[in-house]
Short mmCIF file of all heavy atoms in Angstrom, two decimals:
data_model
loop_
_atom_site.label_atom_id
_atom_site.label_comp_id
_atom_site.label_asym_id
_atom_site.label_seq_id
_atom_site.Cartn_x
_atom_site.Cartn_y
_atom_site.Cartn_z
N LEU T 431 -43.73 34.56 -31.14
CA LEU T 431 -44.61 35.59 -31.64
C LEU T 431 -44.27 36.94 -31.03
O LEU T 431 -44.26 37.98 -31.76
CB LEU T 431 -46.05 35.24 -31.32
CG LEU T 431 -47.16 36.14 -31.86
CD1 LEU T 431 -47.13 36.15 -33.40
CD2 LEU T 431 -48.55 35.76 -31.37
N ILE T 432 -43.93 37.01 -29.75
CA ILE T 432 -43.57 38.29 -29.15
C ILE T 432 -42.25 38.81 -29.70
O ILE T 432 -42.09 40.00 -29.93
CB ILE T 432 -43.46 38.07 -27.61
CG1 ILE T 432 -44.85 37.84 -27.05
CG2 ILE T 432 -42.82 39.23 -26.95
CD1 ILE T 432 -44.87 37.46 -25.58
N LYS T 433 -41.31 37.95 -29.98
CA LYS T 433 -40.10 38.33 -30.63
C LYS T 433 -40.36 39.03 -31.95
O LYS T 433 -39.74 40.06 -32.26
CB LYS T 433 -39.19 37.13 -30.85
CG LYS T 433 -37.83 37.48 -31.37
CD LYS T 433 -36.95 36.21 -31.49
CE LYS T 433 -35.54 36.58 -32.03
NZ LYS T 433 -34.76 35.36 -32.17
N LYS T 434 -41.31 38.54 -32.68
CA LYS T 434 -41.68 39.17 -33.96
C LYS T 434 -42.33 40.54 -33.67
O LYS T 434 -42.03 41.52 -34.38
CB LYS T 434 -42.71 38.24 -34.65
CG LYS T 434 -43.20 38.82 -35.97
CD LYS T 434 -44.20 37.88 -36.67
CE LYS T 434 -44.77 38.51 -37.89
NZ LYS T 434 -45.81 37.60 -38.51
N PHE T 435 -43.17 40.61 -32.66
CA PHE T 435 -43.81 41.93 -32.34
C PHE T 435 -42.73 42.93 -31.98
O PHE T 435 -42.78 44.08 -32.35
CB PHE T 435 -44.75 41.75 -31.16
CG PHE T 435 -46.04 41.03 -31.52
CD1 PHE T 435 -46.85 40.45 -30.54
CD2 PHE T 435 -46.44 40.95 -32.84
CE1 PHE T 435 -47.98 39.76 -30.88
CE2 PHE T 435 -47.61 40.33 -33.21
CZ PHE T 435 -48.37 39.70 -32.26
N ILE T 436 -41.75 42.51 -31.16
CA ILE T 436 -40.67 43.42 -30.75
C ILE T 436 -39.90 43.87 -31.98
O ILE T 436 -39.50 45.08 -32.07
CB ILE T 436 -39.78 42.72 -29.75
CG1 ILE T 436 -40.54 42.41 -28.43
CG2 ILE T 436 -38.55 43.58 -29.47
CD1 ILE T 436 -39.74 41.57 -27.49
N ARG T 437 -39.60 42.99 -32.85
CA ARG T 437 -38.79 43.33 -34.05
C ARG T 437 -39.55 44.29 -34.97
O ARG T 437 -39.01 45.24 -35.53
CB ARG T 437 -38.38 42.07 -34.79
CG ARG T 437 -37.48 42.32 -36.03
CD ARG T 437 -37.03 41.06 -36.62
NE ARG T 437 -38.15 40.21 -37.16
CZ ARG T 437 -38.57 39.07 -36.59
NH1 ARG T 437 -37.97 38.66 -35.48
NH2 ARG T 437 -39.55 38.46 -37.12
N GLU T 438 -40.89 44.01 -35.19
CA GLU T 438 -41.63 44.83 -36.11
C GLU T 438 -42.33 46.02 -35.43
O GLU T 438 -42.77 46.96 -36.16
CB GLU T 438 -42.71 43.93 -36.78
CG GLU T 438 -42.11 42.79 -37.58
CD GLU T 438 -43.21 41.92 -38.19
OE1 GLU T 438 -44.41 42.19 -37.90
OE2 GLU T 438 -42.87 40.95 -38.92
N GLY T 439 -42.39 46.00 -34.12
CA GLY T 439 -42.98 47.13 -33.40
C GLY T 439 -44.47 47.25 -33.57
O GLY T 439 -45.04 48.31 -33.47
N VAL T 440 -45.20 46.16 -33.81
CA VAL T 440 -46.63 46.14 -33.98
C VAL T 440 -47.23 45.06 -33.09
O VAL T 440 -46.62 44.00 -32.86
CB VAL T 440 -47.07 45.94 -35.45
CG1 VAL T 440 -46.62 47.07 -36.30
CG2 VAL T 440 -46.52 44.61 -35.97
N SER T 441 -48.44 45.34 -32.59
CA SER T 441 -49.13 44.34 -31.83
C SER T 441 -50.63 44.76 -31.75
O SER T 441 -50.96 45.91 -31.65
CB SER T 441 -48.56 44.24 -30.44
OG SER T 441 -49.32 43.37 -29.62
N ASP T 442 -51.53 43.77 -31.77
CA ASP T 442 -52.95 44.04 -31.62
C ASP T 442 -53.37 44.01 -30.18
O ASP T 442 -54.52 44.33 -29.83
CB ASP T 442 -53.75 42.95 -32.34
CG ASP T 442 -53.53 43.02 -33.89
OD1 ASP T 442 -53.27 44.12 -34.37
OD2 ASP T 442 -53.67 41.92 -34.54
N SER T 443 -52.46 43.70 -29.29
CA SER T 443 -52.77 43.61 -27.91
C SER T 443 -51.59 44.06 -27.03
O SER T 443 -50.48 43.90 -27.45
CB SER T 443 -53.20 42.18 -27.51
OG SER T 443 -53.36 42.09 -26.15
N ASP T 444 -51.86 44.65 -25.86
CA ASP T 444 -50.82 45.03 -24.94
C ASP T 444 -50.67 43.98 -23.84
O ASP T 444 -49.94 44.21 -22.88
CB ASP T 444 -51.08 46.38 -24.37
CG ASP T 444 -52.40 46.45 -23.58
OD1 ASP T 444 -53.13 45.46 -23.60
OD2 ASP T 444 -52.62 47.46 -22.94
N ARG T 445 -51.38 42.87 -23.99
CA ARG T 445 -51.28 41.79 -22.99
C ARG T 445 -51.39 40.44 -23.74
O ARG T 445 -52.41 40.08 -24.33
CB ARG T 445 -52.48 41.89 -22.01
CG ARG T 445 -52.40 40.90 -20.84
CD ARG T 445 -53.59 41.11 -19.91
NE ARG T 445 -53.51 40.29 -18.77
CZ ARG T 445 -53.86 38.97 -18.64
NH1 ARG T 445 -54.42 38.41 -19.75
NH2 ARG T 445 -53.77 38.28 -17.55
N ILE T 446 -50.24 39.70 -23.66
CA ILE T 446 -50.16 38.42 -24.39
C ILE T 446 -49.94 37.37 -23.34
O ILE T 446 -48.95 37.41 -22.58
CB ILE T 446 -49.11 38.48 -25.48
CG1 ILE T 446 -49.40 39.57 -26.43
CG2 ILE T 446 -48.96 37.11 -26.12
CD1 ILE T 446 -48.32 39.72 -27.51
N VAL T 447 -50.77 36.32 -23.32
CA VAL T 447 -50.60 35.18 -22.39
C VAL T 447 -49.43 34.37 -22.79
O VAL T 447 -49.33 33.88 -23.92
CB VAL T 447 -51.90 34.36 -22.32
CG1 VAL T 447 -51.73 33.16 -21.48
CG2 VAL T 447 -53.08 35.18 -21.86
N LEU T 448 -48.52 34.14 -21.86
CA LEU T 448 -47.33 33.41 -22.13
C LEU T 448 -47.28 31.98 -21.41
O LEU T 448 -46.53 31.12 -21.80
CB LEU T 448 -46.07 34.18 -21.62
CG LEU T 448 -45.65 35.35 -22.47
CD1 LEU T 448 -44.43 36.00 -21.87
CD2 LEU T 448 -45.31 34.96 -23.89
N ALA T 449 -48.08 31.85 -20.36
CA ALA T 449 -48.09 30.57 -19.66
C ALA T 449 -49.46 30.32 -19.08
O ALA T 449 -50.14 31.25 -18.66
CB ALA T 449 -47.05 30.62 -18.52
N ARG T 450 -49.85 29.05 -19.10
CA ARG T 450 -51.12 28.67 -18.53
C ARG T 450 -50.92 27.47 -17.60
O ARG T 450 -50.25 26.53 -17.99
CB ARG T 450 -52.15 28.29 -19.61
CG ARG T 450 -52.62 29.49 -20.48
CD ARG T 450 -53.67 29.07 -21.45
NE ARG T 450 -54.23 30.18 -22.20
CZ ARG T 450 -53.71 30.66 -23.33
NH1 ARG T 450 -52.60 30.07 -23.78
NH2 ARG T 450 -54.24 31.66 -23.91
N GLY T 451 -51.52 27.54 -16.40
CA GLY T 451 -51.44 26.41 -15.48
C GLY T 451 -52.28 25.24 -15.89
O GLY T 451 -53.07 25.30 -16.91
N ARG T 452 -52.23 24.16 -15.19
CA ARG T 452 -53.00 22.99 -15.50
C ARG T 452 -54.06 22.80 -14.41
O ARG T 452 -53.71 22.69 -13.19
CB ARG T 452 -52.11 21.76 -15.60
CG ARG T 452 -52.79 20.46 -16.05
CD ARG T 452 -51.82 19.32 -16.03
NE ARG T 452 -51.44 18.96 -14.72
CZ ARG T 452 -50.29 18.49 -14.37
NH1 ARG T 452 -49.27 18.47 -15.27
NH2 ARG T 452 -50.02 18.14 -13.09
N ASP T 453 -55.32 22.71 -14.80
CA ASP T 453 -56.38 22.57 -13.83
C ASP T 453 -56.36 21.10 -13.26
O ASP T 453 -56.03 20.19 -14.02
CB ASP T 453 -57.79 22.79 -14.43
CG ASP T 453 -57.98 24.28 -14.79
OD1 ASP T 453 -57.52 25.14 -13.98
OD2 ASP T 453 -58.58 24.54 -15.84
N PRO T 454 -56.72 20.98 -11.99
CA PRO T 454 -56.80 19.61 -11.47
C PRO T 454 -57.95 18.82 -12.05
O PRO T 454 -58.99 19.42 -12.43
CB PRO T 454 -56.98 19.86 -9.94
CG PRO T 454 -57.64 21.19 -9.85
CD PRO T 454 -57.09 22.00 -10.98
N ILE T 455 -57.77 17.55 -12.17
CA ILE T 455 -58.84 16.66 -12.66
C ILE T 455 -59.33 15.89 -11.50
O ILE T 455 -58.52 15.06 -10.90
CB ILE T 455 -58.40 15.81 -13.80
CG1 ILE T 455 -57.92 16.63 -15.00
CG2 ILE T 455 -59.48 14.80 -14.20
CD1 ILE T 455 -57.37 15.82 -16.13
N ALA T 456 -60.61 16.02 -11.14
CA ALA T 456 -61.14 15.35 -9.96
C ALA T 456 -61.22 13.80 -10.25
O ALA T 456 -61.47 13.42 -11.39
CB ALA T 456 -62.52 15.86 -9.59
#
């Protein structure tokens, strides 16, 4: 999706989440 934003020069946000950790399961 970011590659598309770079190519088209448009984005609705200036901060895009690329990675999320995994919460521990008790």
Side-chain angles (χ1 to χ4, degrees):
L431 184 63
I432 291 174
K433 183 177 181 181
K434 178 182 176 182
F435 288 159
I436 294 172
R437 183 174 64 252
E438 298 178 358
V440 294
S441 174
D442 295 332
S443 174
D444 59 354
R445 186 180 186 276
I446 301 176
V447 176
L448 287 179
R450 291 184 176 88
R452 186 182 69 216
D453 291 322
I455 298 177

